[in-house]
Amino acid sequence: MGDPLASLATETGIKSDLCLEIDPPPTETVATAEDWRRALGKVVPAVVVLRTTACRAFDTVSAGASYATGFIVDKRRGIILTNRHVVKPGPVVAEAMFVNREEIPIYPVYRDPVHDFGFFSYDPSAVQFLSYEEIPLAPEAASVGLEIRVVGNDSGEKVSILAGTLARLDRDAPQYKKDGYNDFNTFYMQAASGTKGGSSGSPVIDWQGRAVALNAGSKSSSASAFFLPLQRVVRALSFLQKSIDSCTDKPKAVHIPRGTLQMTFVHKGFDEIRRLGLRSETEQVVRHASPPGETGMLVVDSVVPNGPADKHLEPGDVLIRVNGTVLTQFLNLENLIDDGVGQIVELEIERGGQQITVSVSVQDLHSITPDHFLEVSGAVIHPLSYQQARNFRFPCGLAYVSDPGYMLFRAGVPRHAIIKKVANEDISCLADLISVLSKLSRGARVPLEYMSHTDRHRKKSVLVTIDRHEWYAPPQLYTRNDSSGLWDVKPAIEPAAVPPSIGNSGLPICQNTESMHEVVRGVTDTAATMEASSGDGSLNDLGSEAKKQRVEDDSSDGTVANGSLHGSELKSDDAMATDNSVLRDYESAAALSANASLAERAIEPALVMFEVNINIMFEPALQRGDSVYLVGLSRNLQATSRKSIVTNPCAALNIGSADSPRYRATNMEVIELDTDFGSSFSGALTDEQGRIRAIWGSFSTQVKYSSTSSEDHQFVRGIPIYAISQVLEKIITGGNGPELLINGVKRPMPLVRILEVELYSTLLSKARSFGLSDEWIQILVKKDPVRRQVLRVKGCLAGSKAENLLEQGDMVLAVNKMPVTCYNDIEAACRTLDTGSHSDENLNLTILRQGREMELVVGTDKRDGNGTTRAINWCGCVVQDPHSAVRALGFLPEEGHGVYVTRWCHGSPAHRYGLYALQWIVEVNGKKTPDLNAFADATKELEHGQFVRIRTVHLNGKPRVLTLKQDLHYWPTWELRFDPETALWRRNILKALK
């Protein structure tokens, strides 16, 4: 009988480029438990947990943080081997943690353009308290039946040891994603070791402690794990070691020769190849020239357009010889191509039984591997890589959208898009795109043409607004520097080359009439107005911008729900009214009524195509049974008018809190109609004379199905016009608050006095059961025979003057001895405090608490409509003073409050170390941060790479202490401030690398 392992190797088709045929160890050298214990004792200290952060989306990788495994392959030079998808093709920040929990910074020095391996470097002297040895690489030791151990950070457990047996050495390279990274032109090994997430980059060792393969992936539906052979790794490591040894002063980038024909081969068995037309005489020649046990040949699977092999080779071609030598193995072919960069190779193939010889030039693989990208308005654009060109069958080097960011996402350009034209100029590469952008002014609207791999046969055109908002830095060009392991950044467009912003252009103005069709023309769509805004920034939609970036957020001020919202606006003189779900509270040009889901803001008349002085009727209020017309614009900007009947003119809204604090309408009554028009359009409710009686606005609510499942819903209702009458009048005539620049003129904005208490209504019949006396019921019915309700306290805003006075469930019976039955009664009482010479800021409330009538003096608060006027972006998280939606939860930290984390960006230090939204930062390195000024002062003292100790308090009241490493290279500290003098947001750098 022959060798059983050798017979098994023949049956399974072991390839000679992956395994030398070695005899199994003699019986007396079979590994024992003690042998494995000694081997693992040497291996485990050399295995490290890698914590990596992709700072930007790039190529096949999205921005984010992850854990993986690596191991020391050169202790003296400080080299760690791991997978390519761990090193990542784009900007990465990484740390290695040894088994004794020592942490050291590591830097990428090489990632293979095709195969799934790469190297990190580290300073060996940084490891001070651990004795360890490097793990030798032994690709020749791999064989079918070899008992192995996989040592790594499996499932995030820091150190896991999984046993297995090599079952195959000739597995096809695993296919992970259709639009992501995939290895090719190589075999993989397979074993049933059951590795999972976190074990990528683990060494696959034998009983002697040698790495025979590199763990790369697994199949979730089975216990199969896939290992990368180490032959190409050994070659690359040799070049890297020589490069390091040749450095006498500072590190230099290593060059590892890699060639390509821009084509993919697959290994197929002889039986299948015969069906492709392989002649019997050719098969005999190949079998005779190949190593014993050869079972197949290489067949062309795909060719990248415009590559060296394009027009020469086709899928189904069978490779016979290369430069006169019979080749049936990936390794031999790759050795020849890597050593022949810039040369011509002669390929002999058979196509349908016909023998053909072609000459193909070997291209430098690194030349089609992108090492730079453009970042503009949150978008990341770079040359199309070989990986994605192979996936999508597009030529390499095209302008590829790795992340659409805000500007492109807003225009509807998806990720993975290929930009073909901008402003009617052809875009063939990234340099063309930068050249076109340098000629465009901020605010310019230009056509953009793109292609998508999902619909490759049709080009799509969209309008893009060149948006260089202050939220983002000017367009920047990042270039990989393998010497430092960082990506160097410089301006993509010189400031002197940027054209001035587009100013206002006079648009035709229509004359006013009172006819119904002109009322329709007076309604202007929000989205269209935003996109047509001038370069003066008076209509900055900052809240939307932040969401279009790759961020996670708690839906800060004014945000109704994640995603794009559309609505209609009504213009009256120089003020525009819209529902607050469309208007973002970040727009400091707004004057927002604090107690209503309505907002008004100043606009430039030239921004509206048709200007009409609309007749707004404040009194009397609509009654049940009144006929109204719903007038507005649909999503496709079609004017619509529909007649309906008022069924309830004073329906009380009761929108519950969402999972994350965000704007919701409170203390508000709305109008309900007898017809459900859906939420496809909004606008205004008018009477038959064309007078505006209400705004038909959208509201957002969250429906919770369980403690972990919820869904956002949008509905529309009528907002009575009297809800905005007072604020609207003050905006037009001039308020008593801070001045704001409007159309070149400074105007004082109104200050709105409010009682910062959330109320809800209860029917009098139900209130009797809670102890309300018949006497008060009669008083309230006489006051308002229609509503027949009493107001109750749902909660007080944290930090308000009413916080410690009113309690949940209190019934508010009267204000200043006057009975109250609706929200408007409370607002009217607040307004009287500012009339005449009356300077009292308190209200005398008559309440019923647990069946006992009480008199309380409760203070009121003044609020402007500016909302958030300052925010700081530090380490990738956005902090601000707590906005009203947060305060409405009734909780602020006791430690002098703090700054509230409202957003965090993927790939940032905040993401990496867990500084997420929905919490307050109350201390930085022991210094209290009660407000933004204190926080800015504390963070200005921090240096690049410095670890920071942060104390936080979550919305649930749970305190926490965490450490975070500041990264000023990719995430400088900057702030946004609204300047009322210019009505613009200003972006100021607070701390950055010089």
Side-chain angles (χ1 to χ4, degrees):
M1 294 180 61
D3 182 4
L5 287 182
S7 300
L8 179 61
T10 302
E11 294 172 1
T12 54
I14 298 175
K15 305 301 182 289
S16 61
D17 63 331
L18 295 179
C19 171
L20 299 178
E21 295 193 14
I22 57 175
D23 293 329
T27 305
E28 62 271 19
T29 60
V30 171
T32 64
E34 181 62 22
D35 293 332
W36 280 111
R37 187 191 65 78
R38 284 196 298 266
L40 292 172
K42 295 179 181 180
V43 168
V44 169
V47 177
V48 295
V49 176
L50 302 179
R51 182 163 57 185
T52 62
T53 305
C55 303
R56 300 291 189 276
F58 187 85
D59 196 14
T60 57
V61 178
S62 299
S66 60
Y67 287 86
T69 307
F71 59 99
I72 311 299
V73 293
D74 193 318
K75 176 182 177 181
R76 181 175 67 85
R77 300 177 180 88
I79 302 176
I80 296 174
L81 172 63
T82 186
N83 289 129
R84 175 195 187 271
H85 69 262
V86 176
V87 178
K88 305 188 188 307
V92 63
V93 175
E95 294 173 351
M97 183 173 68
F98 287 81
V99 69
N100 66 339
R101 295 183 180 272
E102 278 192 79
E103 298 181 10
I104 59 172
I106 57 178
Y107 304 94
V109 291
Y110 179 75
R111 73 281 292 151
D112 195 82
V114 172
H115 301 315
D116 200 5
F117 74 90
F119 298 99
F120 284 108
S121 68
Y122 69 98
D123 181 4
S125 63
V127 184
Q128 303 178 11
F129 306 103
L130 178 68
S131 175
Y132 64 97
E133 298 295 331
E134 63 190 43
I135 298 177
L137 303 181
E140 70 283 353
S143 61
V144 172
L146 178 68
E147 188 177 359
I148 51 94
R149 299 289 187 272
V150 181
V151 183
N153 179 35
D154 191 71
S155 298
E157 295 296 335
K158 189 174 148 180
V159 175
S160 292
I161 302 174
L162 303 176
T165 302
L166 291 183
R168 293 183 61 187
L169 304 184
D170 61 347
R171 189 197 189 280
D172 292 336
Q175 296 293 311
Y176 298 118
K177 295 180 67 177
K178 293 182 179 180
D179 57 1
Y181 169 74
N182 295 293
D183 203 345
F184 56 95
N185 287 348
T186 183
F187 286 119
Y188 266 64
M189 304 178 191
Q190 179 181 324
S193 59
T195 58
K196 296 181 178 64
S199 62
S200 293
S202 299
V204 181
I205 65 167
D206 64 3
W207 66 275
Q208 299 181 55
R210 302 175 299 177
V212 299
L214 178 67
N215 184 51
S218 62
K219 183 181 292 185
S220 58
S221 60
S222 66
S224 298
F226 312 131
F227 309 140
L228 177 73
L230 295 179
Q231 283 87 351
R232 307 307 294 169
V233 177
V234 171
R235 174 182 181 269
L237 178 61
S238 175
F239 277 98
L240 185 58
Q241 291 169 330
K242 293 176 182 178
S243 175
I244 294 176
D245 291 341
S246 65
C247 295
T248 56
D249 45 8
K250 59 181 181 180
K252 66 178 182 180
V254 60
H255 178 71
I256 299 176
R258 295 285 275 116
T260 181
L261 303 179
Q262 290 196 38
M263 57 187 297
T264 303
F265 285 100
V266 292
H267 193 275
K268 295 182 180 294
F270 282 113
D271 285 346
E272 184 174 355
I273 297 176
R274 291 190 204 104
R275 295 194 293 270
L276 293 176
L278 181 68
R279 298 178 300 173
S280 57
E281 56 269 27
T282 303
E283 179 181 348
Q284 294 177 3
V285 171
V286 172
R287 285 184 179 273
H288 179 75
S290 300
E294 180 58 76
T295 60
M297 301 171 65
L298 297 179
V299 179
V300 176
D301 182 65
S302 64
V303 179
V304 176
N306 294 354
D310 191 26
K311 311 301 183 183
H312 296 289
L313 298 176
E314 300 176 359
D317 290 347
V318 181
L319 181 65
I320 310 299
R321 295 181 179 85
V322 179
N323 289 343
T325 302
V326 173
L327 284 183
T328 60
Q329 301 293 311
F330 288 115
L331 181 60
N332 296 335
L333 175 62
E334 200 161 46
N335 282 333
L336 190 150
I337 292 176
D338 286 347
D339 294 339
V341 175
Q343 302 177 10
I344 303 295
V345 295
E346 189 176 85
L347 305 179
E348 185 179 325
I349 62 172
E350 276 199 10
R351 180 180 300 165
Q354 180 181 0
Q355 189 166 337
I356 301 174
T357 300
V358 298
S359 297
V360 182
S361 175
V362 179
Q363 187 178 15
D364 184 357
L365 181 54
H366 298 297
S367 68
I368 55 174
T369 302
D371 61 355
H372 60 282
F373 66 88
L374 171 69
E375 187 175 41
V376 52
S377 292
V380 175
I381 307 169
H382 60 76
L384 184 65
S385 69
Y386 181 26
Q387 282 285 337
Q388 296 292 50
R390 174 179 172 270
N391 289 336
F392 303 155
R393 293 205 70 252
F394 286 130
C396 293
L398 300 177
Y400 166 75
V401 178
S402 180
D403 188 342
Y406 166 65
M407 185 177 74
L408 296 182
F409 180 89
R410 183 185 183 191
V413 179
R415 190 185 177 202
H416 304 314
I418 304 295
I419 299 176
K420 302 297 291 183
K421 284 186 179 182
V422 175
N424 298 318
E425 294 192 32
D426 291 333
I427 306 296
S428 61
C429 60
L430 186 62
D432 291 345
L433 178 61
I434 295 175
S435 175
V436 173
L437 290 177
S438 67
K439 305 173 186 177
L440 300 176
S441 303
R442 171 185 169 181
R445 298 184 71 202
V446 297
L448 181 146
E449 188 177 280
Y450 72 92
M451 294 180 63
S452 172
H453 70 283
T454 58
D455 191 9
R456 60 182 302 110
H457 302 296
R458 291 185 296 181
K459 297 179 181 178
K460 298 180 177 63
S461 295
V462 296
L463 280 178
V464 174
T465 301
I466 304 303
D467 207 337
R468 302 190 184 106
H469 272 304
E470 290 78 5
W471 183 269
Y472 303 99
Q476 299 183 106
L477 189 65
Y478 286 78
T479 304
R480 191 180 73 216
N481 185 345
D482 287 326
S483 298
S484 63
L486 300 174
W487 288 60
D488 300 332
V489 59
K490 67 177 182 179
I493 302 173
E494 295 299 328
V498 178
S501 300
I502 293 179
N504 294 338
S505 58
L507 297 180
I509 305 297
C510 289
Q511 297 300 317
N512 173 41
T513 71
E514 295 183 358
S515 62
M516 178 62 68
H517 75 277
E518 293 214 44
V519 172
V520 173
R521 295 164 65 187
V523 182
T524 306
D525 183 76
T526 300
T529 304
M530 289 287 189
E531 293 175 355
S533 62
S534 63
D536 63 6
S538 60
L539 295 182
N540 285 346
D541 188 8
L542 181 59
S544 277
E545 287 183 53
K547 280 191 293 300
K548 300 311 181 292
Q549 190 184 18
R550 179 66 170 151
V551 300
E552 297 291 338
D553 65 285
D554 75 331
S555 297
S556 70
D557 337 20
T559 303
V560 171
N562 292 332
S564 298
L565 294 174
H566 295 268
S568 298
E569 296 173 331
L570 273 179
K571 185 177 184 302
S572 175
D573 294 335
D574 283 341
M576 179 176 283
T578 181
D579 59 280
N580 197 37
S581 62
V582 174
L583 180 67
R584 308 298 185 186
D585 191 20
Y586 266 123
E587 296 181 33
S588 275
L592 174 61
S593 173
N595 279 359
S597 175
L598 197 75
E600 296 129 3
R601 55 194 166 105
I603 66 164
E604 186 74 49
L607 298 181
V608 187
M609 183 65 69
F610 301 104
E611 178 184 356
V612 181
N613 293 323
I614 297 175
N615 187 1
I616 298 179
M617 186 175 181
F618 299 110
E619 298 291 346
L622 286 172
Q623 302 296 321
R624 191 187 308 270
D626 287 350
S627 295
V628 293
Y629 290 88
L630 175 56
V631 181
L633 295 177
S634 63
R635 289 182 180 272
N636 58 2
L637 302 185
Q638 295 297 315
T640 305
S641 175
R642 300 180 184 179
K643 187 177 181 179
S644 187
I645 304 296
V646 175
T647 58
N648 190 348
C650 52
L653 278 181
N654 187 15
I655 300 177
S657 299
D659 293 334
S660 299
R662 67 191 192 195
Y663 172 80
R664 57 191 176 91
T666 59
N667 299 349
M668 185 176 182
E669 292 181 341
V670 294
I671 299 170
E672 294 180 343
L673 304 180
D674 67 342
T675 305
D676 183 8
F677 295 116
S679 58
S680 61
F681 68 93
S682 58
L685 295 180
T686 74
D687 56 22
E688 294 183 352
Q689 288 73 41
R691 297 173 298 188
I692 302 298
R693 306 303 301 274
I695 291 179
W696 194 245
S698 61
F699 299 86
S700 178
T701 184
Q702 191 174 76
V703 178
K704 296 184 179 180
Y705 302 107
S706 65
S707 58
T708 58
S709 175
S710 62
E711 184 178 355
D712 289 330
H713 288 275
Q714 187 176 348
F715 63 94
V716 288
R717 295 291 186 272
I719 305 172
I721 207 67
Y722 63 75
I724 67 170
S725 59
Q726 300 296 324
V727 177
L728 179 60
E729 181 181 355
K730 290 181 179 180
I731 289 180
I732 297 174
T733 61
N736 56 347
E739 290 186 339
L740 187 67
L741 186 67
I742 300 177
N743 302 336
V745 179
K746 289 185 179 180
R747 295 187 180 184
M749 291 290 100
L751 293 177
V752 180
R753 184 175 296 280
I754 61 174
L755 180 67
E756 289 197 318
V757 177
E758 185 176 350
L759 304 169
Y760 67 99
S761 62
T762 299
L763 293 176
L764 293 178
S765 58
K766 187 176 181 180
R768 177 183 280 111
S769 302
F770 286 96
L772 184 63
S773 66
D774 291 340
E775 180 183 359
W776 268 109
I777 290 177
Q778 294 299 323
I779 293 174
L780 296 177
V781 169
K782 183 178 179 180
K783 164 70 170 55
D784 192 342
V786 176
R787 291 180 174 84
R788 306 179 70 88
Q789 66 186 22
V790 64
L791 298 180
R792 303 188 69 182
V793 175
K794 189 173 184 179
C796 298
L797 271 68
S800 67
K801 295 179 181 179
E803 181 180 13
N804 298 319
L805 296 175
L806 295 175
E807 297 180 1
Q808 184 177 1
D810 288 349
M811 294 186 189
V812 181
L813 306 177
V815 177
N816 296 336
K817 305 300 182 180
M818 299 296 294
V820 294
T821 59
C822 64
Y823 308 123
N824 194 39
D825 293 341
I826 303 289
E827 295 175 10
C830 291
R831 289 194 293 268
T832 60
L833 298 181
D834 292 327
T835 60
S837 59
H838 192 66
S839 60
D840 191 5
E841 296 184 354
N842 300 322
L843 295 176
N844 297 315
L845 301 186
T846 303
I847 68 169
L848 183 70
R849 178 179 298 170
Q850 298 179 356
R852 187 165 60 93
E853 188 175 321
M854 302 174 58
E855 297 288 337
L856 293 179
V857 178
V858 181
T860 58
D861 297 90
K862 274 191 173 182
R863 293 287 181 261
D864 59 26
N866 290 344
T868 297
T869 58
R870 185 187 182 194
I872 295 178
N873 187 306
W874 177 69
C875 289
C877 71
V878 179
V879 298
Q880 64 176 81
D881 291 325
H883 51 81
S884 59
V886 176
R887 296 172 55 235
L889 299 177
F891 170 75
L892 288 175
E894 297 178 356
E895 298 87 347
H897 306 330
V899 293
Y900 181 71
V901 181
T902 188
R903 305 179 188 275
W904 57 273
C905 299
H906 284 260
S908 66
H911 182 195
R912 185 180 188 186
Y913 295 97
L915 183 59
Y916 300 134
L918 307 181
Q919 56 187 328
W920 286 267
I921 299 176
V922 296
E923 285 185 11
V924 174
N925 281 347
K927 295 182 179 180
K928 294 187 178 300
T929 56
D931 53 38
L932 284 177
N933 288 331
F935 180 80
D937 292 339
T939 54
K940 282 180 181 178
E941 300 175 359
L942 306 175
E943 298 300 329
H944 172 68
Q946 178 180 346
F947 271 95
V948 187
R949 185 179 70 258
I950 298 174
R951 187 168 185 270
T952 66
V953 177
H954 197 269
L955 274 179
N956 59 18
K958 182 180 180 180
R960 180 187 176 209
V961 176
L962 58 89
T963 58
L964 180 149
K965 187 177 182 181
Q966 181 165 250
D967 180 5
L968 295 177
H969 182 83
Y970 297 112
W971 301 97
T973 303
W974 50 269
E975 71 170 353
L976 281 178
R977 280 180 180 267
F978 180 76
D979 182 6
E981 295 293 324
T982 60
L984 295 174
W985 286 87
R986 300 296 184 188
R987 186 179 193 270
N988 304 314
I989 299 296
L990 300 182
K991 186 84 172 183
L993 291 179
K994 300 297 184 181

